[in-house]
Amino acid sequence: MELAYYSDYAVRLVNTEEPARGRDSLTTVEAVKELFGPATQMARRVNEADLPRFRAIRTRLRSVFAAADEGDHTGAVDLLNSLLLEFPVSPQISGHDHLDDDGRPRWHMHLADHSSNATAGYAAISAMGLAFHLTEFGADRLGLCQAPPCRNAYLDTSTNRSRRYCSDRCATRANVAAYRARKRLEAERADLTGRTAEKSQESTTPAER
């Protein structure tokens, strides 16, 4: 498993909240467990005490994305470094569960979980995943959706660094809104031009006409 894979953990956690809409899906132990995906062993340790702790980590991770989105790359790195210091990880080589066609292990780096609780484990792998993504692709590859009021976090993996939305749905919605805005502006300009022409005609004398 590539270490950058763990960056998705950060995105999943941040996007459990939609601040502009006042929505928060991180309200139950089961919702927290779902964030772990296939990492069922880690998820089994989740309890009620993890709910407020997960929300606190979510706020800090969103701050990383927000700083990067605003172009404050140094700030994003500082925030991420503080998480890495507080929640360290233990990288290990793994591969016994992933064999090639010849039956040999497909060796890869894996983040071992030796944390004291589920929140610390999730925070550690999320921060490390983001760190690898940031250092490999750049801080400008961390962003928040530009389709208001969404503001979901996303990781830009496009070849031309052009991603601005968290999903195709938000991209389509933003494009439709921009198109309608242009049409309204064109209509307003046409109406203004027509009224100006009418006033110009009214101000001329019969002889001038």
Side-chain angles (χ1 to χ4, degrees), residues 83-177:
L83 284 165
L84 291 170
L85 286 170
E86 186 174 346
F87 302 102
V89 295
S90 301
Q92 293 183 347
I93 299 173
S94 182
H96 294 293
D97 296 331
H98 301 79
L99 306 180
D100 61 20
D101 295 336
D102 297 321
R104 293 174 300 189
R106 295 181 184 273
W107 301 116
H108 59 273
M109 293 300 294
H110 171 75
L111 298 183
D113 177 31
H114 302 302
S115 55
S116 59
N117 57 67
T119 304
Y122 198 97
I125 59 178
S126 297
M128 183 58 75
L130 273 188
F132 273 94
H133 191 93
L134 186 151
T135 53
E136 183 173 354
F137 301 108
D140 58 341
R141 295 303 189 111
L142 278 60
L144 294 174
C145 186
Q146 298 301 302
C150 179
R151 304 301 282 168
N152 270 351
Y154 66 82
L155 299 170
D156 184 5
T157 56
S158 63
T159 55
N160 58 356
R161 300 173 181 267
S162 61
R163 185 170 180 179
R164 295 294 178 270
Y165 307 102
C166 69
S167 64
D168 290 340
R169 179 182 179 182
C170 277
T172 299
R173 183 161 53 86
N175 289 334
V176 169

Side-chain angles (χ1 to χ4, degrees), residues 11-29:
V11 173
R12 288 204 295 268
L13 177 54
V14 171
N15 291 347
T16 59
E17 182 184 33
E18 297 178 82
R21 292 188 172 107
R23 298 175 185 171
D24 185 351
S25 62
L26 201 62
T27 58
T28 65
V29 168

Side-chain angles (χ1 to χ4, degrees), residues 55-72:
R55 294 191 192 107
I57 296 301
R58 179 179 63 187
T59 298
R60 294 173 66 180
L61 287 171
R62 176 173 283 278
S63 296
V64 175
F65 281 92
D69 188 68
E70 294 166 2
D72 183 9

